[in-house]
Amino acid sequence: MTHESLRRELGLAGAIVTGLGSILGTGAFVAIGLASEMWGDAVLWAIPLAAVVAMFNGLSSAFLAGTFPVAGGTYEYGYRTIGPWLGFSSGWLFLLAKTASAATAALGITRYLGIDGPIGPIAAVAIVTTLVITGLRRTAAVNAVLVMVTISAILWFAWRGLSDGLGVIVFGDSPEPSHGIIAATAFLFVAYTGYGRIATLGEEVRDPSKVIPRAVVVTLLIAASLYMTVELGGRALGGERWGGLLDLGETLDISFFRFGAITAMFGVLLNLILGLSRVWLAMGRRHDMPARLARLDHRSEPTVAVLLTGVLVAGVTLVGDIGTAWSFSAMTVLLYYAATNVSALALDRRRFTAWLGLGSCVFLSFFVPLTVWLAGVVLVGLGWLWKMGFARAAK
């Protein structure tokens, strides 16, 4: 099977920035606050535990990306190691999970801007989609600026919180602490999975077998440190049940923080649309989706796939509920990375970290709300129906 190839333009620094751009926005500015509201002190344990789980899965992704340096992530790895059904299921799960995550970012942008209604999120998606269409090099440059502003805002927020309120950080008693820790870990795992964007861009990374593993490890270590900093700073300023950075942004005169939150959300939205378009591209190449999605323009950019991604993300924003979108993303991401580890084990059954990654994903998936599971089962079933019947007609 021959097809047009994407250009390899990302080095180590660019890959790390891509990973951080995909992670920090909704993780720091939405997920940490939502988790703190629901599980209190358990979040202090869940942040590092979720990072460890992400590291196991990230190493599997990096191993596979170095072995198969093509666009598509676990969609391609599943095809090449197990077969069409694992490959298709992985790609479909990724599209479901990350479309929900991208919608979460778009909704977060408008919440921090104080805009009500559907027009704001749709406009944010349109702006970012237009930027991604301009090409990877320009997108990466804008992403680097957004990440720097985001990290600066997080560090400034943490400095203010820890310097002004270090003596009043509250640690209370969380009910059912063991269950709370596990549930919060499952919820926060998705806050780290932006490292997967590095793997899905494997066809555009220089020397992928070396660059991708290093980028994944560095990205996760930086993200975990910043998340813990956000949680401690938030407790210092807002108390035990501090309600998240959005609430603090509304009650404190911290306009730079709010600006950083908005740039963070834009960064996440940008990187998710970028990654999603590459999976649509890969599925178009294999005719699991219309072949038109695999076409590249004169600049070797997958414009059709990017446009479809933007339309679908904009549509999901109409749900309007950040918590629901995030929980759904958590469930589908856990299943997606379970498939990643299965693919890694198919190549090397001695990979201890892949066994740990697989076990942790399966275990944590049982702590996702039942209603979210049911919605996921229905949507996965629709994907399989497409695979069995309609994909042939789309060739």
Side-chain angles (χ1 to χ4, degrees), residues 66-87:
T67 305
F68 306 115
V70 293
T74 302
Y75 169 72
E76 278 292 327
Y77 313 150
Y79 254 101
R80 297 184 184 215
T81 57
I82 302 295
W85 279 101
L86 182 66

Side-chain angles (χ1 to χ4, degrees), residues 111-137:
R111 282 191 63 181
Y112 275 99
L113 287 171
I115 299 173
D116 295 324
I119 300 301
I122 292 174
V125 173
I127 292 170
V128 172
T129 301
T130 302
L131 174 61
V132 174
I133 287 174
T134 65
L136 180 63
R137 183 173 297 178

